[in-house]
Amino acid sequence: MAGCAKEGGCPSDYIAVAISVLSLILLLYRSILPFVIHKFSRTKGSGFWIPVFQVFASCNLILSIVMSVDLLKFKKRHWWQSCYLWAVWIEGPVGFGLLLSCRIVQAFQLYFIFGKRRLPPMRSHVCLPLFLLPWFAGAAFIHMKQPLNNHCHMGAQWVIPVVSFHMLYVATLVAFTGAIRHIEFKFNELRDLWRGIVVSASSIGVWIAAYVLNEIHEEIGWLQVVSRFLLLVTSSILVLAFFSISSSQPLLSQISIRRREPLKYETMGQALGIPDSGLLMQRERSQAIDPNEPLDKLLLNKRFRQSFMAFADSCLAGESVHFYDDVHELGKITVNDSVRRIYMTRDIIDKYITAGAPMEINISYRCRQDILTTSNLAHPDLFNNALNELLQLMKMNLVKDYWSSTFFLKFKEEASMRSDTHEMETMTGWNFSPRLSGVRSADDPFHQEYLTKDSDHSSGHTDPI
């Protein structure tokens, strides 16, 4: 015991390493499998990079503990086994520091978007380095002072400030989360943050106790073995909890990985339970379309809007019509329901407004900045100026060509067929009652309470279309 306590390679050390390897495998499984099962294309921005950084930081934290507390027995010492490389730089700035900073950035974004009702003053790619800067400064300071011995331990006078620095970031995360505790989130972001804090705080409590004992009682062999075992095991629990209980991607991070069935919600509108979102009633009565009517009035007809959208997509100019469609869906949410409006608004901004968005629309710089710097993401007129600009562009570039296109001819033909069918059903007394989709399941990640309330007022059970 005395030999392996100082040089590493005790049976408990290998058990701890096996547990850490298993946790990393589960972490990769949890992060990659939803993309494999549901064939998701990766998202852009913080929705993709923050989870990637969390996985990267988790691997760094586990590996740094394995290398710095003598869990493995090496016959010779090499330069790459340096205590300052693993115990200072890898464990600090790009390990524990990066892991906590990613979660703080998530809470920071939620605080501004739902608490302040505006976009964060700093993008995540700016905010994350700022949170990491103190870690790099601290690592550089320790490296200059050289307090570590050949077993990567430092004296008691260094342990207290190092532990306090770790706890400062935990307290910052708790503070941001507490500031948004009154928000009734639709995708359980707050619940997941609190669960992550409770699980990780418990792990961090044990981790800090083991860390302090490992650092200041180097002469006690059995205590060294037990403390480093707890260090690695609690770190494994910490990294797995921090990623598995994630709030970075409401439509992706909580998807069930147990079922290989089609996704129930393909758009934010469907996930939010907006009436008729993405659905088209096959039996609804068709309305006559007059080409002389204003475009904004014609687009209120859903069948016309979908036909016009298909034509615009064929011309590689469909982003304007898609934007109109999503803003129209946003208008169905009541002004008093600010949380759902913010969800939908944020989704529209990410898809159409921000620079480099997947379907970035062609609007003026001033109009774009007015949206991005708004003081109220739930404002009912937030996108009005953008809609007016896009309607003018569509009138000049798309409308005239649409009336002479095969899309309009097909639309008129289908409208005529539906009109004839409707008259026949009326004459024969058939009664069709199309029903909206209200799919729910035991592992529904969104817990749409409003769907249940709506169904209580309907005459029959809703079936998926």
Side-chain angles (χ1 to χ4, degrees), residues 73-353:
K73 184 176 182 179
F74 294 97
K75 294 182 179 179
K76 295 182 179 181
R77 302 291 295 183
H78 303 278
W79 66 267
W80 49 267
Q81 295 174 254
S82 168
C83 288
Y84 291 94
L85 174 64
W86 293 104
V88 176
W89 292 100
I90 304 298
E91 188 276 333
V94 295
F96 188 89
L98 181 58
L99 189 63
L100 264 292
S101 296
C102 286
R103 185 47 66 95
I104 290 173
V105 168
Q106 292 176 352
F108 176 78
Q109 291 177 334
L110 290 176
Y111 169 73
F112 272 93
I113 291 173
F114 291 97
K116 297 292 186 179
R117 293 190 181 184
R118 59 187 178 91
L119 296 177
M122 295 180 294
R123 301 291 299 275
S124 58
H125 66 272
V126 176
C127 190
L128 185 60
L130 287 179
F131 281 117
L132 284 175
L133 190 59
W135 286 93
F136 282 100
F141 181 77
I142 293 176
H143 202 134
M144 288 188 296
K145 294 297 183 178
Q146 300 284 321
L148 298 177
N149 61 20
N150 58 343
H151 291 293
C152 298
H153 294 157
M154 60 179 67
Q157 69 276 16
W158 286 90
V159 172
I160 294 177
V162 168
V163 169
S164 300
F165 191 68
H166 284 66
M167 292 304 299
L168 175 62
Y169 273 65
V170 177
T172 303
L173 176 58
V174 173
F176 274 120
T177 307
I180 55 175
R181 63 185 182 277
H182 61 284
I183 305 296
E184 296 182 3
F185 291 99
K186 295 299 180 183
F187 299 140
N188 304 318
E189 286 94 332
L190 186 62
R191 185 198 68 183
D192 290 341
L193 275 173
W194 281 123
R195 285 175 59 192
I197 288 173
V198 170
V199 174
S200 58
S202 303
S203 301
I204 289 173
V206 178
W207 186 86
I208 288 177
Y211 176 79
V212 172
L213 293 174
N214 186 266
E215 291 291 325
I216 65 178
H217 292 289
E218 186 178 355
E219 73 284 356
I220 305 176
W222 69 268
L223 188 58
Q224 288 288 298
V225 174
V226 172
S227 61
R228 68 193 183 203
F229 175 84
L230 291 176
L231 269 176
L232 190 55
V233 171
T234 53
S235 297
S236 302
I237 296 172
L238 172 66
V239 300
L240 195 57
F242 247 54
F243 187 85
S244 297
I245 308 174
S246 178
S247 65
S248 59
Q249 302 177 78
L251 285 175
L252 176 61
S253 63
Q254 299 179 51
I255 288 174
S256 171
I257 58 177
R258 299 187 299 272
R259 297 187 176 186
R260 295 176 176 270
E261 58 185 19
L263 291 178
K264 298 174 179 61
Y265 305 107
E266 296 181 356
T267 66
M268 183 62 75
Q270 292 175 356
L272 293 173
I274 297 176
D276 301 352
S277 180
L279 301 176
L280 193 62
M281 299 299 100
Q282 296 300 322
R283 299 287 184 175
E284 68 181 6
R285 187 172 183 176
S286 300
Q287 297 179 354
I289 294 298
D290 183 2
N292 296 320
E293 290 184 346
L295 179 61
D296 54 344
K297 183 178 180 180
L298 292 174
L299 287 173
L300 294 176
N301 184 304
K302 192 165 189 176
R303 290 191 181 278
F304 172 82
R305 188 165 69 249
Q306 291 195 349
S307 175
F308 189 65
M309 186 185 299
F311 168 74
D313 285 337
S314 69
C315 300
L316 304 180
E319 60 275 0
S320 298
V321 192
H322 285 277
F323 174 77
Y324 182 96
D325 189 60
D326 281 352
V327 174
H328 184 267
E329 298 293 292
L330 172 64
K332 297 178 181 179
I333 305 175
T334 61
V335 177
N336 295 330
D337 194 351
S338 60
V339 172
R340 283 207 296 164
R341 289 190 67 88
I342 290 174
Y343 273 114
M344 192 66 184
T345 298
R346 186 187 180 192
D347 185 63
I348 291 172
I349 290 175
D350 289 342
K351 280 200 300 186
Y352 304 103
I353 305 299

Side-chain angles (χ1 to χ4, degrees), residues 57 63 143 150 217 281 317 360 377 418 421 428:
L63 188 57
H143 202 134
N150 58 343
H217 292 289
M281 299 299 100
E360 184 179 354
L377 287 171
R418 284 192 298 271
T421 303
T428 54

Side-chain angles (χ1 to χ4, degrees), residues 6-41:
K6 291 185 177 181
E7 299 178 1
C10 294
S12 60
D13 295 339
Y14 290 111
I15 293 174
V17 171
I19 293 174
S20 66
V21 171
L22 178 62
S23 69
L24 291 179
I25 292 174
L26 290 174
L27 179 65
L28 294 173
Y29 170 85
R30 183 66 180 84
S31 59
I32 295 174
L33 206 63
F35 291 92
V36 176
I37 290 179
H38 298 293
K39 307 299 182 182
F40 260 102
S41 58

Side-chain angles (χ1 to χ4, degrees), residues 407-417:
F407 290 88
F408 178 58
L409 296 177
K410 182 179 179 181
F411 171 76
K412 287 200 303 182
E413 181 181 349
E414 291 178 351
S416 177
M417 292 176 60

